[in-house]
Amino acid sequence: MPITNEQDQHFMQRAIELAQQAEAINEIPVGAVVVYQNKIIAEGFNQSINLHDPSAHAEMIAIRQAGKVLNNYRLLNCTLYVTLEPCTMCAGLLVHSRIKRLVFGACDLKTGAAGSVFNLVASNKLNHQIEVEQSNMAEQCSEMLSAFFKRRRKEIKLSKSSNALNKK
């Protein structure tokens, strides 16, 4: 049974909630859920900074959890919903895990590997290709990321100003 747009919105909304959890701990706000047979079986949000682990992206955490839930390293017939287009590391993971479908929110024009910069998930040079769709909630995901980086730049600027004043 194909997943409907209404279901896509439901699952993407959960990914957005997870992204907000990441932001609450000052991580880049990216959230991901893995869905199998119309049920969320795994979730993740960015934790690279807090875990001191460059691989602790939302997708990586969710995929690892899904493998344990399904007791299989192949995630056949699963869909990954993520608020930001996967990077090359995560796109490679999706190909190796055999995710069937990817639904992402915001495009990543700097490191996106599902069509923006690279299209690793659809490369016919690899042994698996993934169905890819951009969510109709892309704007909401993009705005969340933009607001986060705007706030971070402001905090860094204030920190530099404060440090300069303290040195005087």
Side-chain angles (χ1 to χ4, degrees), residues 70-102:
L70 294 177
N71 200 31
N72 196 336
Y73 72 109
R74 299 288 192 222
L75 304 181
L76 306 172
N77 299 312
C78 289
T79 298
L80 176 77
Y81 294 84
V82 62
T83 56
L84 178 65
E85 179 183 0
C87 67
T88 54
M89 175 183 68
C90 293
L93 174 68
L94 299 180
V95 170
H96 284 290
S97 69
R98 305 297 193 270
I99 283 281
K100 180 177 183 175
R101 184 169 172 249
L102 165 66

Side-chain angles (χ1 to χ4, degrees), residues 6-18 31 33 80-84 103-106 133-138 140-141:
E6 187 175 302
Q7 286 172 309
D8 281 346
Q9 286 185 269
H10 169 75
F11 296 131
M12 185 58 76
Q13 183 58 47
R14 179 60 186 150
I16 290 169
E17 291 167 7
L18 291 163
V33 298
L80 176 77
Y81 294 84
V82 62
T83 56
L84 178 65
V103 179
F104 70 87
E133 295 177 45
Q134 188 172 16
S135 170
N136 63 3
M137 298 174 84
Q140 182 179 354
C141 295

